[in-house]
Amino acid sequence: MDAFTAGLLQRIRATESDLTRARAEGDDFLVEAQLGELDDLRRLAAEHGVEVGASTV
């Protein structure tokens, strides 16, 4: 796995974790921000042929 793919997958995992935490804390603004970030990261992954797999959130 190259550095780009590894970094992108790590950012997706971190954003999913942040999203889960925001939901647990009831922070609606942060939830929306994390969802937007996650959408952007997944779109970037798709554009570069990076397999993301099933989401846990």
Side-chain angles (χ1 to χ4, degrees):
M1 178 181 310
D2 63 25
F4 173 79
T5 300
L8 184 56
L9 292 173
Q10 191 280 326
R11 286 181 59 197
I12 289 171
R13 284 190 301 272
T15 303
E16 288 175 338
S17 176
D18 292 344
L19 175 58
T20 299
R21 187 171 28 260
R23 284 180 173 157
E25 294 173 359
D27 188 334
D28 294 336
F29 177 79
L30 188 55
V31 166
E32 290 302 316
Q34 294 303 330
L35 284 171
E37 178 73 10
L38 198 52
D39 285 344
D40 290 343
L41 291 169
R42 288 179 176 160
R43 186 175 21 261
L44 183 62
E47 288 172 1
H48 291 276
V50 175
E51 184 84 21
V52 175
S55 174
T56 59
V57 290

